[in-house]
Amino acid sequence: MAETSIEWTDATWNPVAGCTVLSPGCTNCYAMRMAARLEAMGAGKYRGLTRKSGGRAVWTGKLFLDRRALEAPKAWRKPRQIFVNSMSDLFHANVPENFIHEVWSTMEATPQHTYQILTKRPDRMAEISQALPTLQNVWLGTSVENADYLDRINDLRRVRAVVRFISFEPLLGSVATADLSGIHWAIVGGESGPRARPMDPKWVDEIEIACRRHGTAFFFKQWGGRNKKASGRLLRGRTYDEMPLGI
């Protein structure tokens, strides 16, 4: 486990490392930069997961399944909200289904924690979740960066989960037509880092309107930019830290 500064969670847990660039939201993924940095520091778990391209680190498509990490949450006594696989995607096509079942077993054995799993592959999540127990402490979500990927929300609605959530981050375009029925939580954020692409405030307003229409909790994470701390996370002069189920 690693404590994290991510505003909507307490810690990260990575039984899988490595991924593949899939859509525009992946272009400047912080996890690629972090994986390259960790490899340079000698962390064997991240060896060969990225390569240099155009002066930046990009995924090679290689994955590392960390079975030792599967036991780690059982030693964490203090209840936490845990972002699962901040350095990968649990539902990547090359993660074996039996390994996903092992991750589920660990989460089932540690009900004191709340696990938040985010994927860009909700179609596979929907299929595999049919054979998994619906755990009260597991929230399942997908990322949507612009209107071209709104179909991921339809796949998410097929997922068996007590909480379904969407991360509109990095928000790269308007998603005004998003149907949030059956979605419990929406996280909105602009891209951050040296190559950050801008986010129009109008796009944020459109999502909040959709949240109010469907009774979806609205969490505004950040404006982003090259210096996300300077940009802050105030929206109309206040923070929006709504969580699903009144948590």
Side-chain angles (χ1 to χ4, degrees), residues 151-170:
D151 59 324
R152 291 177 183 167
I153 303 176
N154 294 327
D155 288 323
L156 183 62
R157 268 189 282 271
R158 298 192 292 115
V159 170
R160 294 178 55 200
V162 295
V163 170
R164 299 182 197 88
F165 69 101
I166 300 169
S167 174
F168 293 103
E169 184 192 10

Side-chain angles (χ1 to χ4, degrees), residues 136-211:
Q136 293 296 310
N137 64 327
V138 175
W139 302 356
L140 299 178
T142 192
S143 299
V144 175
E145 59 262 49
N146 60 36
D148 291 338
Y149 298 94
L150 288 173
D151 59 324
R152 291 177 183 167
I153 303 176
N154 294 327
D155 288 323
L156 183 62
R157 268 189 282 271
R158 298 192 292 115
V159 170
R160 294 178 55 200
V162 295
V163 170
R164 299 182 197 88
F165 69 101
I166 300 169
S167 174
F168 293 103
E169 184 192 10
L171 185 60
L172 303 177
S174 172
V175 290
T177 60
D179 176 5
L180 299 185
S181 58
I183 306 302
H184 305 95
W185 190 31
I187 302 164
V188 182
E191 188 167 57
S192 62
R195 301 170 185 255
R197 291 161 285 184
M199 178 176 67
D200 189 327
K202 178 184 175 183
W203 305 339
V204 180
D205 293 339
E206 291 168 347
I207 295 172
E208 188 190 1
I209 290 168
C211 285

Side-chain angles (χ1 to χ4, degrees), residues 22-41:
L22 185 66
S23 61
C26 303
T27 301
N28 298 320
C29 177
Y30 76 92
M32 296 191 294
R33 300 195 304 271
M34 180 61 70
R37 191 177 308 152
L38 290 168
E39 180 180 14
M41 293 168 61

Side-chain angles (χ1 to χ4, degrees), residues 224 226-233:
R226 290 181 62 86
N227 186 340
K228 69 176 184 179
K229 288 185 178 180
S231 301
R233 53 189 304 263

Side-chain angles (χ1 to χ4, degrees), residues 18-21 27 29 31-37 39-40 46-62 195:
C19 203
T20 304
V21 171
T27 301
C29 177
M32 296 191 294
R33 300 195 304 271
M34 180 61 70
R37 191 177 308 152
E39 180 180 14
Y46 295 94
R47 187 178 301 119
L49 301 189
T50 63
R51 60 180 176 83
K52 286 291 185 180
S53 175
R56 62 191 178 94
V58 297
W59 296 123
T60 62
K62 178 181 176 182
R195 301 170 185 255

Side-chain angles (χ1 to χ4, degrees), residues 69-141:
L70 291 173
E71 295 300 308
K74 297 175 184 177
W76 307 335
R77 301 302 177 193
K78 178 184 176 182
R80 293 177 171 89
Q81 291 191 108
I82 300 170
F83 178 19
V84 180
N85 286 328
S86 61
M87 299 295 291
S88 185
D89 187 329
L90 185 62
F91 293 92
H92 189 287
N94 293 335
V95 177
E97 189 167 343
N98 65 340
F99 189 82
I100 296 173
H101 281 256
E102 290 181 58
V103 171
W104 237 254
S105 294
T106 294
M107 297 189 297
E108 186 171 24
T110 52
Q112 72 271 28
H113 303 308
T114 298
Y115 294 92
Q116 301 154 312
I117 303 177
L118 193 57
T119 185
K120 282 187 171 66
R121 300 156 175 88
D123 50 345
R124 189 169 190 236
M125 177 189 272
E127 293 167 8
I128 293 177
S129 70
Q130 303 306 311
L132 293 166
T134 303
L135 302 178
Q136 293 296 310
N137 64 327
V138 175
W139 302 356
L140 299 178

Side-chain angles (χ1 to χ4, degrees), residues 226-245:
R226 290 181 62 86
N227 186 340
K228 69 176 184 179
K229 288 185 178 180
S231 301
R233 53 189 304 263
L234 293 180
L235 175 63
R236 294 187 295 277
R238 56 160 288 193
T239 56
Y240 289 79
D241 290 344
E242 298 170 20
M243 300 292 283
L245 305 180

